[in-house]
Amino acid sequence: QVQLAESGGGFVQAGGSLRLTCVVSGWTFSRSAMAWFRQAPGQEREFVAGVDRSGNTGYADSVKGRFTISRDAAKNLVYLQMNSLKSEDTADYYCAGRTLENFSPLVGDWDIWGQGTQVTVSS
């Protein structure tokens, strides 16, 4: 059974850091692109960061320089290190996977999703 499970969300003050983890199971992780998306209350889900099969990464402009996505193929894990957090980063964060090797910023291009983990940043 294919499953993505996020953890690491929580409550943090502005300027602080969090690291999100996505555990991937039942999935050909090494051949897949992975990504993190987020959805704030009343907002559409948006792309945050992606990593392709080769380890190349891409970021939304709003998080560039503050967030870092990485993957550990040996452990089937995907991370999102979030530094210098701002109140506008408050959202539910979702891990996503797709069977193609390149990542995409479009929600509809992803095949599987986790349940999400909540991040709240107080100003």
Side-chain angles (χ1 to χ4, degrees):
Q1 181 180 359
V2 179
Q3 197 168 26
L4 304 181
E6 304 95 335
S7 64
F11 183 91
V12 63
Q13 291 187 334
S17 298
L18 283 174
R19 187 176 79 160
L20 306 183
T21 300
C22 175
V23 179
V24 182
S25 57
W27 181 262
T28 310
F29 180 80
S30 61
R31 300 179 183 177
S32 306
M34 302 296 297
W36 288 93
F37 285 75
R38 67 186 181 187
Q39 188 167 17
Q43 303 292 319
E44 293 189 352
R45 193 168 297 188
E46 64 176 6
F47 173 78
V48 174
V51 57
D52 67 15
R53 186 180 68 179
S54 301
N56 299 307
T57 59
Y59 299 89
D61 288 343
S62 59
V63 307
K64 201 171 293 183
R66 300 187 298 122
F67 290 11
T68 302
I69 187 172
S70 60
R71 61 192 295 164
D72 185 334
K75 297 180 180 179
N76 278 14
L77 298 174
V78 183
Y79 302 104
L80 185 68
Q81 178 66 43
M82 306 186 294
N83 299 327
S84 302
L85 283 161
K86 305 175 181 179
S87 57
E88 49 263 46
D89 295 318
T90 294
D92 291 327
Y93 283 72
Y94 297 88
C95 181
R98 67 192 302 230
T99 54
L100 299 178
E101 63 180 77
N102 299 319
F103 61 84
S104 164
L106 303 178
V107 171
D109 286 346
W110 293 85
D111 302 312
I112 185 168
W113 296 84
Q115 294 299 308
T117 185
Q118 188 173 48
V119 172
T120 303
V121 184
S122 67
S123 57

